[in-house]
Each structure stands twice: as C-alpha cells, then as structure tokens.
Amino acid sequence: MLRPTAETLRGIEIFAGLSADERRALAAQCQSHYFEANDRVVSRQDSSTDVYFIVSGRVRVTIFSRSGKEVSFRDLGAGQLFGDLSAIDGEPRSATVMALDETMIVSMPAEVFWQSLRHHPNVSAAMLKELTRLVRRLSERVVEFSTLGVKNRIHAELLRLAREHQQDQQTVTISPAPTHGEIASRVSTHREAVTRELNHLAQIGLIKQRRGTLSVLDVGRLARLVEDVRGD
C-alpha cells in the first residue's frame, strides 16, 4: 500500500475547499489501494469503519440476499466516497461494495475522518449535503417502490441515470450503460421486464440502444412520463 498525496485528494468532492497543505496533512494519515474489476472492497456486516474515497474507477453498492439475489443501490465514481455511515455510527457495514473497473481508492481511518469534520467547517458542510442527497434519493426510491408499477420504476431509473450524465442538452448518452439485469436489480424486477420496456421506449423514439451505450433522446419527455405517474 502506498501513501496518497495532496494531489491524490484534490479530486475528492468533500475536500474541494481545502488547501494543498490541508490535503497533504490528511493524506499522510491515509492509505491507497488498487482493485481490479469485480474485486470486493468491503462486505456487508464487516466491522471495519474506514471511509473510502474513489480516486479513479467505479464501484457498485449492493446487498445480496440469502438466496443470492443482488439488490443494487447505486454506482459511485471518481470524487465520491462510501463507508461514511459506519465511520459515523460505528455500526457494521450496511452493504457490499464491488469494483466495476480498475479502481484506485484512498482509505481514511474513522478518527481521522471525524477530525476533518471537526477542524474544517467546509468539509462538514459538504458532508452534510452528501448525506442529505442520499436521504432524498432513498426516500424517492421508497415512494417509487410503494406507488409505481414496474415499467414506471424503469422510467424513473432511466431518468436518474440520464440526469447523472446530463449537461445542458436534452439528448444524453449513458456510457457505459448498465445491463438490463443491473437495471432490473435496481428496480426490483426481472431482466425480461426491463428488456421488454426498453424495446418499447426504443420503438417510440425515446431511447436508442447500442453496444455498451444507452441514449435518452429527450430527457424532458422522459421526465414528463415519470412526473405524470408520480403526480409531481
């Protein structure tokens, strides 16, 4: 394992407001780790409490049922973090995290994470915003699972993915696109239902699927489909 540097932490979102010297002081108390695709980073119910920051690559946050069914919560990329919940409350890990690509991650001991929150108000503010986004997203999903049918949940997940990749244009290409099975895991259905609905959306000109990519051709139109059902 190698020690990260101030430059390593430069791209981490919650540390954006720190000076190079402040990042260097934090980096000296961290470790760098490298993972191959499909490597497990942390396991659900682990007792470890380090916080992990993604420098490059992507990871997926999931829970596996006793029968082996995978329930996928979200994918995270460079600049984002995970493991903060266990660092904050000391409870076991709530999910399993797997590397999707070759991934570089910096781990920070829980006590160092707490020191950064206490000593740097801008880090505390960024962390509060991150936790608020997480609560809002999970609350949104609870409502979707309680009120929306399968095809509407698929539309909502596509809209979330499109907005994550959207800049200003109404046409958004998601690359790499999740597989139909991965989308099914996120919305609690089966792959065939996702394939059927995506084919329908392609037929009506709302999306276009190519190998490894999925394009939403009109984000506004997709948003209206979701809003009409939600009653937004």
Side-chain angles (χ1 to χ4, degrees):
M1 292 186 292
L2 302 174
R3 290 287 183 187
T5 65
E7 187 63 23
T8 310
L9 297 183
R10 184 178 181 182
I12 304 302
E13 293 172 5
I14 70 165
F15 299 139
L18 297 183
S19 68
D21 286 342
E22 289 169 332
R23 292 196 308 273
R24 187 174 298 109
L26 287 176
Q29 303 175 80
C30 299
Q31 296 282 354
S32 295
H33 309 265
Y34 295 87
F35 297 90
E36 299 293 332
N38 300 317
D39 282 351
R40 182 170 298 204
V41 183
V42 297
S43 297
R44 187 169 184 262
Q45 296 301 318
D46 277 358
S47 59
S48 60
T49 57
D50 283 3
V51 181
Y52 296 90
F53 303 94
I54 306 170
V55 179
S56 62
R58 295 180 305 137
V59 302
R60 173 163 295 154
V61 183
T62 62
I63 289 179
F64 293 92
S65 70
R66 289 188 177 179
S67 64
K69 180 180 179 181
E70 178 182 357
V71 179
S72 175
F73 286 94
R74 55 182 178 148
D75 293 351
L76 301 173
Q80 296 180 288
L81 77 156
F82 60 92
D84 45 304
L85 299 185
S86 292
I88 290 170
D89 64 13
E91 294 295 320
R93 301 293 187 188
S94 60
T96 294
V97 180
M98 306 286 292
L100 294 176
D101 310 310
E102 291 185 0
T103 301
M104 177 182 176
I105 289 174
V106 168
S107 64
M108 176 182 288
E111 57 271 23
V112 177
F113 178 68
W114 272 105
Q115 289 171 13
S116 71
L117 296 177
R118 294 189 186 101
H119 298 159
H120 303 292
N122 51 355
V123 174
S124 295
M127 195 62 232
L128 285 172
K129 289 180 180 178
E130 175 64 25
L131 291 173
T132 300
R133 283 194 294 268
L134 178 60
V135 170
R136 287 185 184 275
R137 174 169 285 193
L138 293 178
S139 298
E140 188 177 79
R141 284 187 170 233
V142 168
V143 171
E144 289 173 4
F145 280 112
S146 301
T147 63
L148 300 186
V150 170
K151 73 173 186 178
N152 305 121
R153 296 202 301 272
I154 294 170
H155 297 168
E157 182 62 27
L158 287 180
L159 181 60
R160 250 191 303 274
L161 288 168
R163 284 177 168 165
E164 288 174 1
H165 291 78
Q166 188 176 22
Q167 297 179 359
D168 295 323
Q169 72 278 20
Q170 282 299 305
T171 298
V172 177
T173 296
I174 301 162
S175 178
T179 67
H180 293 188
E182 289 166 353
I183 294 175
S185 172
R186 295 181 188 185
V187 302
S188 190
T189 188
H190 49 84
R191 181 178 57 80
E192 292 77 10
V194 173
T195 299
R196 186 163 54 246
E197 186 56 28
L198 293 188
N199 287 340
H200 170 69
L201 294 177
Q203 288 171 2
I204 65 174
L206 190 50
I207 69 169
K208 181 182 291 186
Q209 301 179 83
R210 294 178 179 173
R211 184 180 296 273
T213 67
L214 188 155
S215 296
V216 177
L217 304 179
D218 189 336
V219 175
R221 182 182 171 192
L222 179 60
R224 288 190 293 273
L225 280 180
V226 175
E227 290 162 3
D228 286 346
V229 177
R230 280 181 181 163
D232 293 349

